Amino acid sequence: LSPQSNAAAHRLDSLSMESVLEAFRVQQDPQARPEHIRDANLWLERFQSTTEAWTVADGLLSLPAEQVGNGSAHVFAAQTLRAKIQYDWAELPPQSHAALRDSLLAHAVRYSAGPQVVLTQLCLAVATLALHMEAWGQAVPELIGRFTSPPAEALAKLPCLLELLTVMPEEAENFKVAVMPRRRDEFRGLLRGAGPQVVALLGQVQEQCRGSSPLVQACLRCTASWLKAKSVPADCLMASPLVGLAFAALDDQTLFDEGVEMLVELVHFSKEADSHAQLVAGIMPPVLALGRRYDAAVQAGDEEVARALVRLFTETGEQCLHLLLTQQPEWLVSLAACLLRGAAHPDADVAEITFNFWYMLAEELNGGGRSLNDAQRVDARGLFADCFRQLLQALRSLVEFPSESDSWPADQADDFRRFRYAVGDVLTDACKVLSSTACIEEVYGALQQRLPAFGADPAGQWRSIEACVFCARQMITSNEPAFFTAPVVHQLLQLLPTLPAAGDLPNTAIRTVGTYANWLSRHAEMLPQMLTYVTSGLQQQRNAAAASQAMKHLCDACAEHLAEEATMAQLIQMYLGTLSFSLEPADRVDLVAALSFVVSQLPLPQVLPAMEAIARPLLQRLQAALEGGGGPGEVSVLLEQLCALLGKVSPGARPTADEVARVPALQDALHPSVHLLQQLWGVLEAIFERHGGDSRVMEKLCRCYKHTSRNTAQGPFRGDFRSLVPRLLPQVTGWFERQPHSCFLYVANVCLRGYHDAPELLPTFRETFARMSAVVFRLLSAAPTAIPDNPDVVDDFFELCSTVLRLHPALLAESELLLSSFQCGCAALRIQHREANRAVVGFFEMLLVLRQAGARGNLSPAAFNGITTLLVANGAQLAQELLLAIAGLVPPARVRFLSPVLKGLVLVDYAASRSWLEAAVQALPPGGHMDGATLLQAIYSAEALARDDRGAGDRVFGQAAEAFSNACRRRRLL
């Protein structure tokens, strides 16, 4: 720069700095108006994205604290430099990198004594700079050398050095920093190379600074960071005093948290058993010795210490399971004893920490793991059997409702139920080790012990009984022959209906009966008693959901025992009786589904009559609702029950010769659900005429078609629904033209997916797709907000387009609809609705994949030429919309879905796509031009375009798009 330019730049920086300080004065002024504070905040955020922010932030950090008020300006300046290096690195010319590094290090030394937040941000800035700055190849050794000399100043600089070394490995994994994977791998290698030097330094610090808790804390945090990054050699670590320091820290209240964190990372670091077996042998004895410390913490009521130690025990067990199980099983038994005490902790959150360990151990003992052979597994199961028996006792106590549970708010009750189901998973794990029968015997024995007290005071003692029944409910199995002949199961199920109704006990008992449905299918003599008991629960609102679900499970598992004409008649009478009960809609659906399972097992001539008997009261109510002005809610509930019937009845075979001889009409009989749907056709048409404007009713109506289609897609009646397609598609197309509900598009999609291989239906599909597309284009172009106002239509239309491209690409690629769909998709890329946006992105992804596959795919030459011509003529439009979406028009979580489309567009034609994207970058606001150039440099690099099977190029595209998106959003570009 000329002297005049330098002077002008200096004056500009001075003005900018004064503006920043003025904004902070407004923020800190207690008399400032809220709108002024809001404007000051917004101004500061925008200022961080300017090029002047580099020098102004640097200058602010040089000002003494008394000139910047309470120091918030220093925090702002440090954060600004860190963000600028992370997002705006491309703004700096390479010759300025070293000067920026030196300035940052000077500031870091200046703030070595605090404030800590400023020091941390500066150190993060240095670490990010080191990741970017390839010329700084020896960053860690140079930092150690710079901050440990001269020796007289080393102690004062030590907090800064430790903070720098702590964040350096963390920033190596910060994927918000836009560097190529190659550079990130190089940086990780540089850190590993410096590992021995770092371990030596930390060991020296630990020896010389034992009396300074802040320095020891920093040393522990730094060690944990390098362990997490796997950047230190195990032999150096074992030879240093750092492991001993971590265990000693657990005896110091000020160091406890840092000590635990380091030990957890040490356990993770030691997971590689082959190379770190010696390290594991060094840490196991002191870990096991902490069991006494845990007991003392529980006795003292110190929940935080207990929680931290349980976490350490759990991490040790999970990470070292293979090595301990195969080489030191006695250590694992001792560790399991520590974890058993953790599982018995009265606080559910603490106990739950151990649950995954029990799962992993049970898998190994049961054969799901790979650590043990069969002989070793038998011995190990015997070794841990007592531990799992004690675990059962602890878990039974954990699931018992506390005495105050009746007064819990709804969210607390929901949390406890969620926890109980987590406990149920652990009970299942215990069954893998001990056998389900043995576990049920344990629980049944506990239940028997508690029955006398329960009989004397049901209202006060039901909780312990309910806990036992809940545990028994989780202990079923289908892989254990002894379970199905065990007397204890029979005794348990005989007992349940006799228990007095108190609290939540009937609900749990009824659910338990449903859970044991597979056992009851082999003991059909108990079914009448169990069905009576379950049916009784339908009469109480509190137990109705449990009873309907239990009925569904029983009828599903025991359908073959219930599928006799007399029994079916009794079940239908039971069902008709429930029509007068006050049941929730979901419970009624469960009951219809339950009956459907039994109907499926009837002889084929009886299936349709049984379905008609179930449907008759529903149709009567539907007709009454249509004639008497019933509301859409009532109609929706009735349609949902019909859906369950149409979707669940599934006969296992076509009619036999004898059945055809007795009933000739069965000769060419269709699936009974198809027959029933044909009978319902007029009613469904009437529902459209009455409630066609209600999307909820139309969705339920369309489910009748969808469920019937899916029900007939497999099995002996496969394809029977095909006969309805020529009638159905014109009907729903006409409905869509009158009332453009998205569910009609979905029906067309279901039919196309199910029967695309039927050539006689191709003209129907072509006409349906063309007419529906015309409706969609009119709807979505009717107003500026039409696309965001109709997200369901966008979603289902582009899902249908993707199905067409996948199964019958000529319907779209060889028609004039292709251009309209493409342009509509470009406009819809901005839609905020998650599923709709994903459908649009999926459409473009499919289009580009087909273009890339070319002749290798199922494209005809005409379709290939159509897609190619479209992309060449309109690629610039897609490029611009993609860049705008990535830059901020869609939520940041969606960017990862857009990067494959970006790559597909690039692969269409490197030169053409680059010109499209360059034009799209230039069309962005000026603040995004440099970030756009960085994006293009990354995605057109050899690394991004290399063909490999490991997805390295995909990662480059993804990371580059994320970085561009983050930078644009930070600048508030759009």
Side-chain angles (χ1 to χ4, degrees):
L1 292 175
S2 67
Q4 292 83 2
S5 298
N6 273 323
H10 180 71
R11 286 194 300 273
L12 180 60
D13 290 344
S14 298
L15 290 172
S16 298
M17 185 179 298
E18 183 55 38
S19 299
V20 171
L21 292 174
E22 177 60 26
F24 277 102
R25 282 193 284 270
V26 171
Q27 284 184 332
Q28 296 160 17
D29 183 359
Q31 304 301 319
R33 297 172 63 178
E35 60 267 27
H36 292 164
I37 295 174
R38 184 173 60 251
D39 290 344
N41 291 338
L42 184 59
W43 186 89
L44 288 170
E45 288 180 15
R46 290 175 174 168
F47 175 76
Q48 285 183 308
S49 300
T50 65
T51 54
E52 293 86 0
W54 290 102
T55 51
V56 171
D58 185 69
L60 282 171
L61 288 167
S62 301
L63 294 177
E66 55 271 16
Q67 283 189 239
V68 294
N70 63 4
S72 55
H74 285 159
V75 177
F76 171 80
Q79 290 174 335
T80 298
L81 283 175
R82 188 241 174 142
K84 296 292 286 182
I85 294 169
Q86 179 167 299
Y87 296 113
D88 303 332
W89 180 251
E91 291 180 354
L92 291 178
Q95 60 269 25
S96 67
H97 295 171
L100 175 61
R101 175 196 62 195
D102 294 340
S103 179
L104 285 171
L105 291 175
H107 289 314
V109 170
R110 187 177 302 115
Y111 291 94
S112 188
Q116 182 62 39
V117 62
V118 178
L119 176 61
T120 298
Q121 290 298 316
L122 288 170
C123 291
L124 286 168
V126 172
T128 307
L129 180 143
L131 179 57
H132 274 300
M133 191 175 170
E134 297 190 39
W136 195 13
Q138 296 296 317
V140 173
E142 287 184 23
L143 287 173
I144 293 175
R146 181 181 294 216
F147 282 84
T148 55
S149 62
E153 300 176 7
L155 185 60
K157 298 178 182 178
L158 190 55
C160 179
L161 176 59
L162 291 175
E163 188 69 22
L164 279 167
L165 293 177
T166 299
V167 301
M168 198 74 76
E170 296 169 358
E171 284 302 285
E173 307 306 321
N174 179 5
F175 287 92
K176 291 182 179 179
V177 183
V179 295
M180 290 293 191
R182 169 195 54 79
R183 171 56 189 164
R184 195 177 299 277
D185 290 340
E186 286 177 357
F187 191 66
R188 290 171 179 145
L190 294 173
L191 294 178
R192 286 192 296 271
Q197 189 176 0
V198 172
V199 171
L201 171 71
L202 293 174
Q204 187 178 0
V205 171
Q206 188 269 330
E207 292 287 352
Q208 296 179 4
C209 303
R210 289 174 183 249
S212 173
S213 292
L215 288 176
V216 176
Q217 285 176 326
C219 182
L220 289 165
R221 285 195 297 269
C222 185
T223 307
S225 177
W226 283 72
L227 286 170
K228 186 174 184 178
K230 306 289 192 296
S231 296
V232 293
D235 54 348
C236 293
L237 190 65
M238 286 299 297
S240 78
L242 294 173
V243 176
L245 166 67
F247 282 105
L250 302 186
D251 296 325
D252 187 329
Q253 186 176 356
T254 61
L255 303 176
F256 180 84
D257 291 339
E258 288 79 6
V260 169
E261 288 300 323
M262 181 190 149
L263 288 173
V264 167
E265 294 302 338
L266 179 63
V267 166
H268 279 266
F269 177 80
S270 65
K271 184 177 180 180
E272 290 79 11
D274 294 338
S275 57
H276 297 162
Q278 184 180 357
L279 183 59
V280 173
I283 64 177
M284 279 305 301
V287 166
L288 295 176
L290 292 171
R292 292 189 296 274
R293 176 72 187 279
Y294 170 80
D295 294 337
V298 172
Q299 189 172 2
D302 193 338
E303 186 178 307
E304 292 306 314
V305 170
R307 183 193 307 272
L309 292 175
V310 169
R311 178 183 168 220
L312 177 57
F313 296 148
T314 303
E315 295 284 2
T316 305
E318 291 177 359
Q319 301 303 319
C320 303
L321 182 62
H322 171 78
L323 183 142
L324 295 177
L325 200 55
T326 56
Q327 298 183 26
Q328 297 286 351
E330 65 279 1
W331 277 351
L332 187 57
V333 172
S334 300
L335 184 62
C338 294
L339 283 159
L340 188 59
R341 278 126 73 186
H345 195 281
D347 186 282
D349 291 339
V350 176
E352 194 169 1
I353 295 171
T354 70
F355 287 1
N356 190 57
F357 166 79
W358 300 114
Y359 163 74
M360 294 175 64
L361 179 57
E363 283 294 292
E364 291 289 353
L365 299 179
N366 188 51
R370 300 180 179 179
S371 298
L372 305 173
N373 59 38
D374 291 343
Q376 291 171 325
R377 195 171 294 116
V378 171
D379 293 340
R381 286 170 72 123
L383 192 62
F384 288 96
D386 188 60
C387 183
F388 275 93
R389 275 190 287 269
Q390 294 179 59
L391 179 64
L392 287 179
Q393 299 173 17
L395 296 175
R396 190 180 66 246
S397 299
L398 286 174
V399 301
E400 185 172 326
F401 280 103
S403 57
E404 69 274 13
S405 61
D406 290 339
S407 60
W408 276 350
D411 57 344
Q412 188 174 1
D414 289 342
D415 287 343
F416 188 69
R417 289 191 179 91
R418 180 205 59 79
F419 171 71
R420 280 173 35 120
Y421 284 113
V423 173
D425 291 337
V426 186
L427 289 166
T428 302
D429 297 331
C431 291
K432 296 175 185 176
V433 178
L434 299 175
S435 83
S436 289
T437 303
C439 290
I440 294 170
E441 287 172 346
E442 289 275 344
V443 170
Y444 187 72
L447 190 155
Q448 287 289 340
Q449 293 174 6
R450 289 159 174 74
L451 280 178
F454 174 58
D457 181 17
Q461 300 296 322
W462 67 267
R463 290 174 174 82
S464 62
I465 300 297
E466 192 274 344
C468 292
V469 176
F470 176 85
C471 290
R473 180 184 165 202
Q474 313 303 315
M475 294 174 175
I476 59 167
T477 180
S478 59
N479 302 320
E480 186 182 312
F483 167 76
F484 291 99
T485 58
V488 69
V489 180
H490 189 279
Q491 295 164 8
L492 173 68
L493 291 176
Q494 287 277 28
L495 174 66
L496 294 182
T498 69
L499 295 174
D504 280 351
L505 178 57
N507 191 290
T508 303
I510 289 171
R511 291 184 187 276
T512 302
V513 170
T515 305
Y516 278 76
N518 283 332
W519 188 92
L520 287 166
S521 71
R522 305 193 188 189
H523 299 270
E525 70 279 2
M526 291 189 67
L527 273 175
Q529 179 188 6
M530 294 297 107
L531 284 171
T532 301
Y533 176 54
V534 168
T535 303
S536 68
L538 293 169
Q539 301 176 38
Q540 293 91 37
Q541 184 72 29
R542 184 175 185 176
N543 301 323
S548 61
Q549 291 174 19
M551 184 68 72
K552 182 178 176 181
H553 292 312
L554 287 172
C555 290
D556 186 11
C558 306
E560 61 183 14
H561 300 296
L562 302 173
E564 295 189 6
E565 192 169 359
T567 307
M568 188 72 243
Q570 293 174 358
L571 287 174
I572 290 178
Q573 286 303 312
M574 177 275 298
Y575 159 72
L576 295 175
T578 64
L579 295 176
S580 62
F581 296 168
S582 178
L583 299 180
E584 293 294 326
D587 300 335
R588 294 201 178 280
V589 170
D590 282 340
L591 286 177
V592 173
L595 293 176
S596 300
F597 292 132
V598 181
V599 170
S600 299
Q601 299 299 317
L602 291 172
L604 190 60
Q606 299 174 23
V607 173
L608 185 59
M611 293 179 72
E612 291 169 342
I614 296 168
R616 190 172 298 115
L618 303 178
L619 287 173
Q620 291 170 352
R621 293 188 174 196
L622 265 177
Q623 289 168 341
L626 292 173
E627 294 168 2
E634 181 183 0
V635 174
S636 295
V637 168
L638 292 167
L639 282 173
E640 195 165 4
Q641 295 172 64
L642 286 172
C643 287
L645 182 63
L646 292 166
K648 297 295 184 183
V649 172
S650 183
R654 285 209 177 260
T656 64
D658 290 342
E659 289 172 334
V660 170
R662 290 195 303 272
V663 186
L666 294 177
Q667 176 65 51
D668 298 313
L670 297 172
H671 191 291
S673 291
V674 174
H675 274 298
L676 183 61
L677 183 60
Q678 290 174 321
Q679 295 178 25
L680 296 174
W681 207 274
V683 176
L684 299 181
E685 288 179 330
I687 290 172
F688 173 80
E689 295 300 331
R690 180 64 186 271
H691 296 287
D694 190 288
S695 60
R696 182 177 54 170
V697 175
M698 291 301 98
E699 182 181 347
K700 303 296 185 186
L701 183 151
C702 287
R703 284 186 183 180
C704 291
Y705 304 122
K706 178 182 74 174
H707 284 274
T708 306
S709 175
R710 288 184 174 175
N711 191 17
T712 60
Q714 303 292 333
F717 293 88
R718 183 178 184 274
D720 279 7
F721 190 81
R722 179 186 303 177
S723 62
L724 300 182
V725 173
R727 180 183 181 189
L728 174 62
L729 285 183
Q731 180 189 60
V732 297
T733 303
W735 288 352
F736 187 62
E737 290 170 335
R738 294 169 60 187
Q739 298 285 352
H741 295 297
S742 64
C743 55
F744 299 135
L745 291 164
Y746 187 76
V747 170
N749 202 343
V750 168
C751 292
L752 180 58
R753 289 202 305 262
Y755 308 103
H756 63 92
D757 54 353
E760 71 275 11
L761 294 178
L762 187 57
T764 303
F765 289 139
R766 179 178 289 108
E767 180 187 359
T768 296
F769 183 60
R771 289 172 59 187
M772 285 186 160
S773 297
V775 174
V776 170
F777 299 149
R778 285 197 303 271
L779 175 68
L780 298 185
S781 61
T785 61
I787 288 177
D789 289 346
N790 295 278
D792 293 338
V793 172
V794 173
D795 180 9
D796 283 312
F797 175 68
F798 282 100
E799 287 287 352
L800 177 59
C801 288
S802 295
T803 301
V804 169
L805 286 174
R806 180 166 52 88
L807 300 176
H808 277 302
L811 293 183
L812 185 55
E814 297 181 25
S815 79
E816 68 279 1
L817 298 174
L818 182 60
L819 177 59
S820 299
S821 300
F822 183 92
Q823 292 175 335
C824 183
C826 286
L829 270 174
R830 306 181 179 194
I831 195 168
Q832 300 299 300
H833 188 275
R834 183 178 59 186
E835 286 77 16
N837 183 264
R838 190 73 188 96
V840 175
V841 172
F843 162 71
F844 282 116
E845 199 170 352
M846 176 65 70
L847 191 69
L848 292 164
V849 166
L850 282 176
R851 166 58 177 76
Q852 190 176 353
R856 300 192 309 275
N858 61 344
L859 282 184
S860 66
F864 178 79
N865 291 335
I867 293 175
T868 302
T869 302
L870 172 82
L871 292 172
V872 170
N874 299 278
Q877 182 184 4
L878 178 57
Q880 183 170 10
E881 291 299 332
L882 271 176
L883 239 60
L884 288 171
I886 293 171
L889 291 186
V890 299
R894 312 260 178 85
V895 173
R896 63 191 177 96
F897 299 115
L898 293 170
S899 59
V901 181
L902 181 62
K903 183 174 183 180
L905 187 63
V906 167
L907 295 178
V908 169
D909 184 307
Y910 293 168
S913 64
R914 182 149 198 160
S915 68
W916 300 334
L917 289 167
E918 286 173 348
V921 167
Q922 291 305 307
L924 293 171
H929 291 175
M930 188 169 295
D931 297 314
T934 303
L935 170 68
L936 296 188
Q937 181 182 2
I939 64 176
Y940 284 96
S941 67
E943 193 173 352
L945 300 176
R947 298 182 181 275
D948 63 76
D949 296 329
R950 296 174 298 173
D954 295 340
R955 287 194 295 274
V956 173
F957 269 87
Q959 292 168 15
E962 293 278 359
F964 172 71
S965 177
N966 291 336
C968 293
R969 291 170 200 274
R970 177 175 161 271
R971 297 181 193 279
R972 299 178 182 269
L973 197 67
L974 301 176

